[in-house]
Amino acid sequence: MRLSRTLPHDFGFTDEHQMLQSEARRVLAERFGRATLRRWIEGGGEHDAELYQALAELGWCGLTIEERYGGAGLGYSHLAVLAEEIGRALLPAPCLASITAAEAIALAGDDAMKVRWLPAIADGSKLATAAVDSRTGVVAAQTADLFVVDQTLAERDAVTIEPDAGLDVTKPTATVKLTGQGTTQRTTLKQSEAFQTRALLIAAAEATGAAEAVLVMTRDYAIERHQFGKPIGAFQAVSHPIVDMMIGIENARSLTYACAAALDSDNGDAKVLSRMAKAAASDALSFAVAKGVQLHGGFGFTWDCDVHFYFRRSLYERAALGDPTDHRAWLGEYLLAEES
Amino acid sequence: MSDEDLAAFGREVKSYLTANRPAEPDFVMPQSFLEVETEQQFTYLRAWQRQLYEAGHLGFDVPEQYGGRGVDQARHAIVMRELANAQMPFLVNTIGLRWVVPTILKYGTEEQKQRLVKPILSTDHIWCQGFSEPEAGSDLASLQTRAVRHEDGYRVTGHKVWTTLAHFAQFMILLARTDAEANKYRGLSYFLFPMGEEGVTIQPLLKMSAEGGFNQVIFDDAPMPHDALLGKEGQGWEVAMATLTFERGAAGVSGEATSGTSEMLDRLVKCARDSPRKDDRVLRDRLASLWIDTEAARFGERRAAQHLPAERPMALPMMSKLVRSEIDQDMAALGCDYIGKTARLGIDDPAAPDEGEWPRAYMNSFGFTIGGGTSEIQRNLLAERVLGLPRSR
């Protein structure tokens, strides 16, 4: 109902997606495992240019950029898989910010702009970011070379950057304003609906991945932590919320994949599905981190338990690109207004 | 079949259904196969399923040599979807179609397959299920109904409960204890019990909605032939688990399961639009939430049928019944909230919106969150079998 049923029977998923997922997970486990995440956060959270370059070489910064502009030319279903792995690791390296900005340029930039910037974004030589939500700061602004803001493509000399004191240091944000001078190009890069949809998809996938990490952590803890002579996961008051975490995550994942497939097949459903996916993923992550802390007991309440890094991510994530209440309001209005 | 051929098939089914909708009954229809109470309801529904079978639209999950159309998941899913979209009457022999057919195809002898599968499709044999007992519900393996060997076969003594359709059935899938000395699981055997009159007493049970549809069945030395045994003696638990797997989620893979949920959402949206509380934002938020959940379940079923996520391949099929039953329950509750004061009225009251459908659906929704494995048991199973958490018992 209200969504077409023209998705390909296999969501467009192939062995290629499986390989991309395995490879991304392996690379992130090696280069940015949780011990590394903790060290990075506790060490002040500096941008790792070398890591970013290595990921660019893997094609991560230009995954959906067309091949003729130096990208991997892959689809949104591939992007959803990669973004989920990136979210699972809480990777601060702003590959997704660059990809999001590249989407904006690809959608509305003229050919000269695309030729000038997309290859540089794809090969990692230029970091880019886009203002996706006027109510929250621009992510990864402090390290970006290129900014998509206020219908303008601006270089660093054309903006002022005022960093926020965010709770999630893996998502540093800032207020970015155009100075009116410096190197800018006026474009039609306004907050188009198509751009919004893609930004929502990326965010939903990333949040789903983060929730997944919390699920695995909490499940593992419930098996290894013993009380009353047994693993605490044997108690239904512990196991049932973990099951509910999983259900929320699988739902978010289904909607995210469906949105990606809708974008890849251009069947018109992505606008609705992107909002559904984002709402579901935000709620899945919020639920996971709350239960995640709770079920880790006393340890969960301390700085030393990794769940709170994801908890902070959920605070950022819920605020960026509209929280579930906003999306449900839009969806509810859409549902009630439409002719059946 | 290509996507185009499948689309053409879908259109063909749709136009058949449009042209062949059975006449509106002048009696109250049960909401599902769980509430079929009267001879009148049963006859109507049986005729509908028979008609569909004879038109060739049933049996895409059954090999041709056993009376089906040949196994074709895609076409099966399309038929189920079109039936739901067109809001056609449900298939009365659901237990037979969804639970018994796959079980017989998996464990039956050639003779049993040849004899018993086709009549399920045609409705010549209606089936019921004899698993649960008054003292053996969630803890099914502790069941006590005995099947004692006899020169002509077996004699059955015991007591089954929640037996939907027993009053119309020709056959029952019966789980009984053949060996009282063995370990509780290994003492069980699975039978295809022909519902005779000797030694069998069927007593109707009333649901909280005041509707009938299920029964208790008391066996007192009831005779059962040798060839009623499915599989081997002592294999009953394994076969029953297969049936429960079919009952709980396999249907989800074909997309059939969420068709009902999607269809209910359509009715809920209409109810909301017609309601004086249409603009209430709190209710609208709940409605949007249920739409999200419904689409997630629908796409989840499609995902389950394909390249499964590496994490946990069994998650989606195993969570299907749990998720759907809870969505359906929440939708019914929301429907009651949308109609507000009139939710207290029953079908006999002319002021009851949609003929009292919403409170009735809400009451009946507990049949699904409890039956077929309670939501609590489902969560235990998901915890243990999908997440690898330790057993809670």
Side-chain angles (χ1 to χ4, degrees), chain A:
Chain A
M1 73 165 273
R2 290 165 191 82
L3 289 179
S4 76
R5 293 178 193 270
T6 60
L7 276 185
H9 202 67
D10 67 354
F11 275 74
F13 266 65
T14 63
D15 287 331
E16 196 180 53
H17 294 79
Q18 192 65 67
M19 280 179 354
L20 174 63
Q21 183 187 60
S22 308
E23 153 94 337
R25 194 171 296 184
R26 187 187 58 77
V27 167
L28 287 165
E30 276 170 33
R31 302 290 311 251
F32 207 79
R34 278 223 307 285
T36 310
L37 170 69
R38 175 169 283 275
R39 270 197 308 276
W40 185 86
I41 291 173
E42 292 175 352
E46 298 287 308
H47 172 64
D48 185 342
E50 198 258 309
L51 174 61
Y52 187 85
Q53 196 52 47
L55 299 177
E57 268 154 43
L58 291 174
W60 290 23
C61 301
L63 201 81
T64 46
I65 292 176
E66 287 177 70
E67 284 182 84
R68 64 181 158 136
Y69 298 120
L74 294 176
Y76 293 101
S77 55
H78 298 87
L79 181 54
V81 167
L82 178 64
E84 199 183 308
E85 294 306 311
I86 286 176
R88 189 182 170 129
L90 279 192
L91 181 73
C95 308
L96 294 178
S98 291
I99 289 178
T100 306
E103 287 292 314
I105 296 169
L107 279 170
D110 59 37
D111 209 60
M113 203 179 276
K114 292 181 199 179
V115 165
R116 174 130 184 252
W117 296 115
L118 293 180
I121 294 174
D123 73 18
S125 54
K126 292 288 178 196
L127 281 73
T129 186
V132 294
D133 183 345
S134 56
R135 293 163 300 178
T136 57
V138 179
V139 73
Q142 292 95 304
T143 47
D145 304 303
L146 203 60
F147 300 80
V148 176
V149 62
D150 289 342
Q151 302 182 46
T152 303
L153 185 58
E155 292 184 65
R156 222 178 156 81
D157 61 359
V159 298
T160 57
I161 300 168
E162 238 179 84
D164 297 326
L167 289 164
D168 179 6
V169 300
T170 66
K171 286 281 184 189
T173 56
T175 305
V176 175
K177 292 202 175 106
L178 296 167
T179 60
Q181 287 151 2
T183 325
T184 64
Q185 294 170 261
R186 199 83 235 172
T187 69
T188 51
L189 280 160
K190 61 182 195 278
Q191 295 292 15
S192 72
E193 188 187 282
F195 172 63
Q196 197 70 6
T197 298
R198 286 148 177 79
L200 285 167
L201 168 71
I202 294 168
E206 200 181 7
T208 303
E212 173 71 34
V214 176
L215 169 65
V216 171
M217 261 189 263
T218 309
R219 189 274 314 272
D220 289 348
Y221 186 75
I223 290 173
E224 114 210 349
R225 172 72 176 173
H226 283 64
Q227 288 288 267
F228 305 106
K230 55 176 87 170
I232 63 171
F235 297 106
Q236 292 167 1
V238 172
S239 67
H240 283 202
I242 298 176
V243 168
D244 288 337
M245 273 192 215
M246 179 188 78
I247 290 172
I249 289 165
E250 290 296 342
N251 283 341
R253 190 173 282 137
S254 296
L255 290 167
T256 302
Y257 287 7
C259 179
L263 277 169
D264 283 335
S265 68
D266 200 20
N267 75 351
D269 289 340
K271 180 167 87 166
V272 167
L273 284 169
S274 63
R275 285 171 157 83
M276 288 190 166
K278 178 63 163 64
S282 291
D283 277 342
L285 180 57
S286 298
F287 182 79
V289 298
K291 287 300 175 191
V293 169
Q294 182 71 20
L295 296 175
H296 275 80
F299 174 60
F301 191 58
T302 67
W303 178 268
D304 298 332
C305 176
D306 291 346
V307 178
H308 75 84
F309 296 142
Y310 291 83
F311 195 101
R312 287 153 180 275
R313 170 60 66 90
S314 91
L315 293 171
Y316 161 80
E317 194 286 325
R318 213 171 162 83
L321 280 168
D323 70 16
T325 311
D326 292 336
H327 293 304
R328 284 197 300 266
W330 187 93
L331 288 164
E333 207 178 294
Y334 181 93
L335 190 61
L336 287 173
E338 222 207 343
E339 292 313 301
S340 56

Side-chain angles (χ1 to χ4, degrees), chain B residues 112-183:
Chain B
Q112 286 168 330
K113 292 179 198 176
Q114 291 290 348
R115 178 165 50 97
L116 295 169
V117 173
K118 182 173 166 177
I120 292 174
L121 295 168
S122 69
T123 73
D124 283 328
H125 291 167
I126 301 295
W127 284 72
C128 63
Q129 181 190 48
F131 282 16
S132 295
E133 297 180 2
E135 299 305 311
S138 292
D139 185 8
L140 184 62
S142 68
L143 69 88
Q144 293 303 310
T145 295
R146 294 276 280 119
V148 178
R149 280 230 189 168
H150 202 260
E151 58 191 357
D152 299 328
Y154 299 84
R155 290 294 166 98
V156 182
T157 297
H159 190 172
K160 293 294 181 187
V161 79
W162 318 137
T163 352
T164 301
L165 294 175
H167 45 319
F168 296 117
Q170 283 71 47
F171 279 88
M172 171 192 280
I173 39 174
L174 172 67
L175 191 58
R177 193 164 295 286
T178 38
D179 186 347
E181 307 305 312
N183 150 296

